[in-house]
Amino acid sequence: MEKSKHFINDLNFAFKYVFKISPLYVFLTIFSAIFNSAYNLFNIVIIKAIIDSIQVKEYRLFYFYLILIFGIGIITMLLNNALSNIIIPQILNKIKNETQKHIFSGYIQYNYEYVNNKEFYDKYYYILENSENSFTSTINVLGELITSIITISGVVYIVFYYDYIIMLITFSLAMLSFICSLKAEKKQYLFKEFTTMFRRKIDYVRRIFYMPDYFKDLRVNDTNLFYNILDRSCDNLNGEISNWGRVISILSFGGGICAILLNVSTIFIFGAKVINGTLTLGAFTMLYNGTQRLSASMNQFFLTVQILYKNSLNVNKFRNFFLADKNKEIDKNNNRIGNIKKIKLENVCYGYLNKQVIYNFNIDIKAGQVYFIVGKNGTGKSTLIHLIAGLLKPCQGSINYYDENNHKLNYKFEQHISVAFQDFKVYNFNILQNITMKYKTSEEDEYKVNELLKEVKLDNKIGKLREGIFTELSGEFSKDGTNFSVGELQRLSLARAIFKDRDVIILDEFTSFSDVEIKFQILNYMRELYRKRVLIVVTHDYSLIQKNDKVIYLKDNGEYNIGSANEILL
């Protein structure tokens, strides 16, 4: 009972989801189902009428039937071509696009640590691969269900009028065929789920050989590693195809045997009646075609249940993806909105693989003060900024944010905190889009970006480009695309962080690829820009630190010191 409830709820969710994106798609599916059902029944009945008119030599009636078949066939063909080649593909693209955006938006809400594991990526890959097809398939199957019901009703009426025995045979064989197909479909689903990791590895290698970022590294290194991974994954996939394929083939063979038995039974029963003179040749042809259509429609009717069940499993995975715990705790009774003026970390702990990286960490980070996070590699500098930025959730302790009146704030903190990561990313779009992260930009955005480029010392280079800030950052999508050095790209990502104009900015080794003069110029600009806000800098370069700056010095095993530059570094 509980499973049936989940099944119905998932199908209801899928129907509403597609209807919300495109009501037209639902309407066209239902209309097409009714129209095609009527056309199927017409083709069954018209054959008898044509053969009867030939036998009695009613040529006018014969020609009329031919013209009728031609006219209805042309109308049907035009309608189906318009739907399948023009209208439906556009709607399916829209549904696919909206579904992907929904999945992507859910993905970026997850906790950073939560997404960085095999189980999550297997689930995420499966959802990306199957979700949009499951939604549209559910609507299509409902359409096929309508077609099957109408066709079965019409054919049963026709065949039952002539012989009820063939009806019993048809139902029995169709049920056996359905059971075989049901089991085969279930095995197909399990096979696809079981082999997700192998297909994901193959896709990963394909991505590596597609992305321009990897080209130079691939060119100068041995690529046999990737070919071997492809071969191994392909061998593993083929091994599973062999194992699962045997069972699926046997079940499919059973379904095929049922179809053959129905074919032979129909010819035997109705053929005997034609020989005995109790059935006309036209009626024989109509009934033979009718039972074949009835068998196909019944199989389709039964199979829709299995397909709907499979789709409901995929839809359930999709729903759970958005309902899962993303380690986001929001107090609905406290929705204060204001500017962050203080970040308070109390007894914060965090570790990896039973090793404490951050342990009982306490600090009040206040606006108007520059904070430098320093320490050896592996002491938790990146972990600390990920915690502050809300990308990670503490194992113990709390991180709270306060406004100028010391009122606790509660909202999406990532929308008020900007981070320039050491492992920065740029995208193969134009410079303006990379900095603003907007598709449509205003003149104000363009002015602000041009001013920022001066501050990060990129205005001279970009000013010489023919397309200026509209130049794309690679030649992948534009022949006028250009390439930047690593240091220049890092400064572009810094400009992106500054452009957001957030309450808090975190700079993670923000000038590790720049020369000394540029480092100091940019940092001085940041000090002035954020003199009334929160500025946090992660660095190995102690020369950037001034005596009035606060220093957070991280040590091994979660130990730390906090104080002024003079107290900590001297």
Side-chain angles (χ1 to χ4, degrees):
M1 188 67 183
E2 190 67 24
K3 287 185 177 180
S4 299
K5 184 179 179 181
H6 286 307
F7 173 72
I8 293 169
N9 287 340
D10 290 333
L11 294 183
N12 184 49
F13 176 85
F15 182 86
K16 289 180 178 179
Y17 188 87
V18 174
F19 188 82
K20 184 178 180 180
I21 297 173
S22 178
L24 179 61
Y25 183 70
V26 177
F27 168 77
L28 289 176
T29 301
I30 295 172
F31 170 78
S32 179
I34 295 171
F35 183 84
N36 286 326
S37 300
Y39 186 63
N40 290 336
L41 293 174
F42 168 77
N43 281 330
I44 292 171
V45 175
I46 199 67
I47 291 297
K48 177 182 182 298
I50 289 174
I51 293 176
D52 287 346
S53 67
I54 292 173
Q55 286 184 318
V56 298
K57 298 183 179 180
E58 287 282 349
Y59 296 118
R60 288 185 180 178
L61 200 57
F62 172 72
Y63 293 138
F64 169 75
Y65 290 146
L66 288 181
I67 293 170
L68 185 63
I69 291 172
F70 179 79
I72 293 177
I74 289 293
I75 293 170
T76 303
M77 183 179 65
L78 288 173
L79 184 62
N80 284 333
N81 278 334
L83 286 174
S84 60
N85 296 321
I86 302 172
I87 300 173
I88 296 298
Q90 293 180 24
I91 297 175
L92 289 177
N93 273 337
K94 179 182 178 182
I95 294 171
K96 181 178 180 179
N97 184 55
E98 292 300 318
T99 305
Q100 285 183 338
K101 288 195 298 184
H102 193 182
I103 294 171
F104 295 157
S105 67
Y107 168 73
I108 60 174
Q109 297 303 316
Y110 272 84
N111 180 287
Y112 177 68
E113 183 186 20
Y114 189 85
V115 304
N116 196 25
N117 65 77
K118 173 189 173 298
E119 288 74 18
F120 175 83
Y121 275 110
D122 280 346
K123 179 173 70 174
Y124 184 50
Y125 181 87
Y126 189 93
I127 290 168
L128 280 173
E129 194 178 48
N130 294 286
S131 288
E132 68 259 14
N133 290 334
S134 296
F135 284 118
T136 53
S137 173
T138 298
I139 305 301
N140 290 336
V141 168
L142 290 174
E144 290 169 1
L145 195 63
I146 295 171
T147 302
S148 298
I149 291 171
I150 295 174
T151 303
I152 289 171
S153 301
V155 175
V156 164
Y157 176 80
I158 295 169
V159 175
F160 192 80
Y161 178 80
Y162 286 91
D163 197 308
Y164 69 90
I165 295 176
I166 197 66
M167 288 298 306
L168 296 176
I169 294 173
T170 302
F171 274 108
S172 300
L173 292 174
M175 181 61 71
L176 287 173
S177 179
F178 162 68
I179 292 171
C180 292
S181 299
L182 184 72
K183 291 183 177 294
E185 190 69 35
K186 187 174 182 180
K187 295 295 182 183
Q188 286 278 14
Y189 173 80
L190 293 172
F191 163 75
K192 195 168 188 179
E193 188 174 49
F194 187 79
T195 57
T196 294
M197 187 184 68
F198 304 137
R199 289 179 285 112
R200 192 159 61 81
K201 279 189 177 181
I202 292 170
D203 255 11
Y204 177 68
V205 174
R206 286 175 179 166
R207 286 206 315 273
I208 288 172
F209 278 87
Y210 172 76
M211 297 295 289
D213 293 350
Y214 294 101
F215 177 78
K216 289 188 292 185
D217 204 58
L218 291 171
R219 185 65 182 271
V220 300
N221 287 298
D222 189 353
T223 54
N224 283 329
L225 167 67
F226 305 106
Y227 301 147
N228 289 333
I229 290 173
L230 275 179
D231 290 340
R232 184 62 183 271
S233 299
C234 186
D235 289 342
N236 287 333
L237 191 57
N238 284 337
E240 295 303 326
I241 289 172
S242 178
N243 293 334
W244 291 84
R246 291 190 189 97
V247 179
I248 294 169
S249 295
I250 292 170
L251 292 169
S252 299
F253 179 77
I257 286 293
C258 293
I260 293 172
L261 286 173
L262 177 61
N263 193 30
V264 172
S265 301
T266 304
I267 294 173
F268 175 76
I269 293 173
F270 290 137
K273 290 191 175 187
V274 173
I275 293 171
N276 293 333
T278 57
L279 198 67
T280 66
L281 186 61
F284 169 83
T285 306
M286 178 189 69
L287 292 171
Y288 175 77
N289 289 333
T291 53
Q292 297 302 307
R293 175 64 64 182
L294 178 62
S295 175
S297 296
M298 288 177 66
N299 279 329
Q300 187 61 48
F301 176 81
F302 290 135
L303 280 175
T304 52
V305 178
Q306 174 61 16
I307 296 171
L308 287 173
Y309 175 70
K310 183 184 74 173
N311 288 344
S312 75
L313 294 176
N314 292 336
V315 170
N316 188 259
K317 285 179 181 284
F318 177 89
R319 295 177 71 187
N320 288 337
F321 181 75
F322 292 95
L323 295 175
D325 176 23
K326 304 177 181 71
N327 291 324
K328 289 175 59 183
E329 295 182 350
I330 297 296
D331 180 2
K332 294 181 180 180
N333 297 318
N334 182 8
N335 288 317
R336 292 182 182 275
I337 298 175
N339 296 322
I340 296 175
K341 294 298 181 182
K342 184 176 74 172
I343 305 172
K344 188 178 186 65
L345 286 77
E346 292 184 281
N347 301 318
V348 171
C349 298
Y350 196 87
Y352 302 95
L353 301 174
N354 299 321
K355 178 187 176 183
Q356 287 288 350
V357 180
I358 303 295
Y359 181 70
N360 274 354
F361 191 89
N362 293 276
I363 191 174
D364 286 358
I365 299 175
K366 299 178 180 179
Q369 175 74 63
V370 181
Y371 292 83
F372 280 85
I373 302 174
V374 300
K376 296 186 300 183
N377 290 332
T379 53
K381 296 188 297 297
S382 294
T383 300
L384 182 58
I385 64 171
H386 288 159
L387 288 164
I388 293 171
L391 294 171
L392 293 176
K393 180 182 176 183
C395 300
Q396 294 178 27
S398 62
I399 302 175
N400 294 305
Y401 307 79
Y402 298 86
D403 63 15
E404 62 271 13
N405 298 315
N406 208 35
H407 290 145
K408 186 177 176 182
L409 303 171
N410 204 346
Y411 43 54
K412 282 189 173 183
F413 301 116
E414 60 267 26
Q415 295 181 357
H416 295 261
I417 299 174
S418 186
V419 186
F421 292 105
Q422 182 181 12
D423 55 341
F424 59 90
K425 296 291 182 287
V426 293
Y427 308 98
N428 293 338
F429 308 128
N430 68 46
I431 295 166
L432 180 63
Q433 290 171 333
N434 263 276
I435 295 174
T436 63
M437 297 302 287
K438 297 178 182 179
Y439 185 74
K440 293 182 178 179
T441 54
S442 63
E443 290 184 4
E444 183 181 351
D445 290 330
E446 293 177 29
Y447 174 79
K448 187 175 177 181
V449 166
N450 281 315
E451 291 300 307
L452 272 176
L453 291 174
K454 295 176 184 177
E455 301 298 341
V456 297
K457 312 306 175 187
L458 287 173
D459 54 317
N460 286 334
K461 174 165 183 171
I462 293 174
K464 294 175 183 176
L465 299 174
R466 189 164 68 90
E467 299 293 333
I469 58 175
F470 298 98
T471 305
E472 296 198 2
L473 288 180
S474 82
E476 183 174 359
F477 302 124
S478 171
K479 63 181 181 180
D480 295 322
T482 189
N483 294 313
F484 282 68
S485 69
V486 176
E488 290 167 337
L489 291 175
Q490 187 178 43
R491 280 180 272 151
L492 273 180
S493 70
L494 174 61
R496 179 195 301 152
I498 300 170
F499 179 87
K500 297 173 186 175
D501 199 26
R502 302 282 171 83
D503 300 335
V504 179
I505 190 165
I506 302 171
L507 309 179
D508 184 11
E509 298 286 356
F510 71 105
T511 55
S512 55
F513 298 100
S514 299
D515 59 47
V516 175
E517 183 180 356
I518 289 178
K519 283 184 183 182
F520 281 101
Q521 288 175 346
I522 292 176
L523 183 56
N524 288 337
Y525 167 69
M526 295 301 298
R527 287 179 183 277
E528 177 60 27
L529 185 65
Y530 272 78
R531 60 189 174 86
K532 293 185 178 180
R533 291 181 281 180
V534 178
L535 173 59
I536 302 170
V537 182
V538 178
T539 187
H540 284 94
D541 188 353
Y542 292 176
S543 67
L544 298 174
I545 304 172
Q546 296 179 2
K547 63 180 181 179
N548 293 325
D549 296 331
K550 280 280 188 183
V551 176
I552 304 168
Y553 183 59
L554 301 181
K555 304 177 183 180
D556 292 327
N557 300 319
E559 296 181 8
Y560 66 94
N561 288 327
I562 299 175
S564 67
N566 289 336
E567 293 170 341
I568 301 298
L569 300 180
L570 293 181

